[in-house]
Amino acid sequence: GLSMSQTPSNTFTVASPNVAYTDDTITSKYTYRTTAIDSSNGEFVATPKETVYDFKTERIVGKVGIIANRQKLAWDTREGQRSANYYGSLVMASTTKLGVDSKTGKDINIPLHDAMPMVHPNDLVIGGWDISSLKMAASMDRAQVLEPTLKSMVRKQMAAMQPLPSIYYPDFIAANQGDRADNIIPGDKACMEHVEHIRKDIRDFKAKNSLDKVIIMWTANTERYGDIISGVNDTAANLMSSIEKGHTEIAPSTVFAVACIKENAPFINGSPQNTFVPGCIELAEQHGAFIGGDDFKSGQTKMKSALVDFLINAGIKLTSIASYNHLGNNDGKNLSSQKQFRSKEISKSNVVDDMVAANSVLYKEGEHPDHTVVIKYMPAVGDNKRALDEYYAEIFMGGHQTISLFNVCEDSLLASPLIIDLVLIAELMTRIQWRNHGEQEWKSFHSVLSVLSYMLKAPMTPSGTPVVNALGKQRSALVNIMRACVGLEPENDMTLEHKLF
Ligand code: NAI
Ligand code: DG6
């Protein structure tokens, strides 16, 4: 959650007649240049197209804990002292080129966090729900991820944090999670009382911490897919009436989503299941509430969405991908159950579709590389997930290229910075408005926040719009939208100034 309080100081200002600053806002007039293709005469005719937009961004960001970073903690490990950082966060630990120094000709790069007025994660107030009552200090012991020295430094604060009771419909997560479920709001199927309970929790959290905004993320276990049933969850009205009637095909995550939409709190699904059934998406659109998902893209899939983009764009014909994982954390335990695994298999499998479909030189219509995803629960390796990938490709004149990857990481330490990024970017999106230049009325971005795609394995996009999985394109979209909002051209990497003199 966050409370509106500070205007961050600018690390740069844009000197342009198209950009205006006030104490509260940055407004830009931005010409969006695209290429329209007409193929009606059997050949492509490409016409440059210009659309002029205005963007307005509120500059005042919230004081919204990430204890170790806020307190600048340093702790001993067997490899020496380590200190708190935000490695793995696109917003906090990556930079973007602002422009070229007019004197030296050198690139000026700034942290992405400074490209627009953004919340600092040290200012976040964090709370949440869990069907397990364990306080955070005991939870971090159970998770076996952080160094004991670091844990001891934050133990006191963590011991004071206890998750709120949550809703638990046993049919949706693995049966092997049952023994954790000791912190439950009564009732084992969807009902309006559950929606209202979660709404009240959000309002209470906001009031107790004097916050203006709350952003909610589903970081709970992977659920099974819900069936999409006509008359039940296919429209907003049907979904609401099914919740009222206690229909058993409504997942806990969907109940959370509905509660957040009703509270106009952005809701992001970090798990793979179809929380956003059509009725839920329609409800978000009706309320103009932000939703985003699905499934954090942290390790194996992130590599895949970069590597496959590279291979296919290099003109190499990828013919198969075999992806094996084993892991021993509670996520792995839950995924050892077939229906929950199936949700994850779906989100991990569709990530190369757009890149394959874009290359008609290598792939005929409908042709696709073989792709298999295996996940096994191996308690001994704990959170240190192993991901083994074989990429097999056809190269020049019938030759073959085999790339083998072995990726070992603390799963949770790759995922946590993504949670931070998703919160920071979702919050930013609540402060940006746009209009066609010349119009009066300002509007928000579409309810479905596809701008979050970089962090997500199966990015949700507004109905009928393309899904982009390629990691580089996802990053460019985000960075260039941020640039547009402050009136800067997209970064085009042409560097003509270094080529034409
Ligand atoms: P975890 O199993 O350690 O934590 C999930 C927590 O959710 C547990 O404490 C559980 O008690 C709780 N829970 C289950 N049902 C709940 C409900 N209805 N309401 C409230 N709490 C509930 O799992 P982990 O590793 O934190 O992953 C969380 C989710 O994020 C999973 O769906 C996982 O697949 C997904 N994910 C994780 C990634 C990673 O850690 N690298 C990457 C991508 C996705
Ligand atoms: C094993 O793949 C378990 C999963 O929950 C993953 O750890 C998680 O979804 C991250 O997946 P990826 O493909 O981004 O590493």
Side-chain angles (χ1 to χ4, degrees), residues 222 270 272 295-304 324-327 329 331-332 335 344 347-348 373-376 385-387 407 409 411 414 418 457:
T222 298
D295 205 8
F296 302 131
K297 176 159 81 170
S298 54
Q300 182 176 58
T301 309
K302 191 178 253 178
M303 290 288 292
K304 192 174 287 173
Y324 305 91
N325 304 256
H326 57 269
L327 73 170
N329 59 20
D331 179 32
L335 294 176
K344 191 64 91 174
S347 78
K348 275 182 170 256
V373 173
V374 177
I375 303 175
K376 292 291 166 195
K385 189 179 84 169
R386 273 78 169 131
N407 187 343
C409 63
D411 215 13
L414 283 185
L418 302 189
K457 274 206 262 290

Side-chain angles (χ1 to χ4, degrees), residues 382-438:
D383 198 48
N384 288 336
K385 189 179 84 169
R386 273 78 169 131
L388 294 85
D389 287 90
E390 186 193 89
Y391 293 85
Y392 189 52
E394 197 175 320
I395 55 172
F396 197 47
M397 301 295 172
H400 292 288
Q401 179 175 16
T402 305
I403 301 169
S404 187
L405 292 185
F406 184 48
N407 187 343
V408 183
C409 63
E410 288 94 349
D411 215 13
S412 305
L413 300 183
L414 283 185
S416 304
L418 302 189
I419 297 176
I420 295 168
D421 284 338
L422 286 162
V423 170
L424 300 193
I425 299 165
E427 192 284 330
L428 171 66
M429 298 311 288
T430 67
R431 287 184 286 112
I432 302 179
Q433 294 195 294
W434 71 277
R435 65 183 177 196
N436 288 308
H437 187 65

Side-chain angles (χ1 to χ4, degrees), residues 225-428:
Y225 255 55
D227 293 337
I228 309 297
I229 308 170
S230 153
V232 172
N233 47 16
D234 53 342
T235 68
N238 289 341
L239 176 64
M240 293 316 289
S241 121
S242 300
I243 294 176
E244 216 150 288
K245 289 183 201 140
H247 200 285
T248 51
E249 204 49 34
I250 315 294
S253 60
T254 304
V255 172
F256 268 89
V258 167
C260 294
I261 291 166
K262 295 265 178 191
E263 286 302 311
N264 208 0
F267 179 82
I268 296 153
N269 177 29
S271 296
Q273 72 279 339
N274 61 342
T275 299
F276 298 115
V277 293
C280 189
I281 297 173
E282 191 183 86
L283 189 74
E285 289 170 354
Q286 285 172 0
H287 284 75
F290 284 135
I291 53 173
D294 298 305
D295 205 8
F296 302 131
K297 176 159 81 170
S298 54
Q300 182 176 58
T301 309
K302 191 178 253 178
M303 290 288 292
K304 192 174 287 173
S305 65
L307 191 63
V308 171
D309 192 38
F310 146 66
L311 286 170
I312 294 180
N313 279 339
I316 290 173
K317 184 172 182 178
L318 182 69
T319 50
S320 73
I321 313 170
S323 293
Y324 305 91
N325 304 256
H326 57 269
L327 73 170
N329 59 20
N330 189 54
D331 179 32
K333 188 175 175 189
N334 183 59
L335 294 176
S336 66
S337 163
Q338 177 56 30
K339 284 184 182 165
Q340 285 67 31
F341 164 71
R342 180 64 190 138
S343 297
K344 191 64 91 174
E345 187 182 35
I346 294 170
S347 78
K348 275 182 170 256
S349 297
N350 294 334
V351 299
V352 299
D353 294 358
D354 54 330
M355 307 166 217
V356 171
N359 192 324
S360 59
V361 179
L362 296 176
Y363 300 98
K364 291 199 278 295
E365 179 91 31
E367 189 184 355
H368 211 273
D370 296 337
H371 190 180
T372 209
V373 173
V374 177
I375 303 175
K376 292 291 166 195
Y377 179 46
M378 191 78 77
V381 303
D383 198 48
N384 288 336
K385 189 179 84 169
R386 273 78 169 131
L388 294 85
D389 287 90
E390 186 193 89
Y391 293 85
Y392 189 52
E394 197 175 320
I395 55 172
F396 197 47
M397 301 295 172
H400 292 288
Q401 179 175 16
T402 305
I403 301 169
S404 187
L405 292 185
F406 184 48
N407 187 343
V408 183
C409 63
E410 288 94 349
D411 215 13
S412 305
L413 300 183
L414 283 185
S416 304
L418 302 189
I419 297 176
I420 295 168
D421 284 338
L422 286 162
V423 170
L424 300 193
I425 299 165
E427 192 284 330
L428 171 66

Side-chain angles (χ1 to χ4, degrees), residues 197-228:
H197 189 115
I198 301 303
R199 290 185 66 175
K200 181 168 181 307
D201 284 346
I202 296 170
R203 286 196 298 268
D204 289 350
F205 181 73
K206 226 170 164 176
K208 187 173 152 220
N209 295 290
S210 309
L211 307 171
D212 289 317
K213 279 182 212 165
V214 178
I215 290 154
I216 288 112
M217 198 157 308
W218 182 267
T219 66
N221 286 129
T222 298
E223 299 172 330
R224 69 165 172 82
Y225 255 55
D227 293 337
I228 309 297

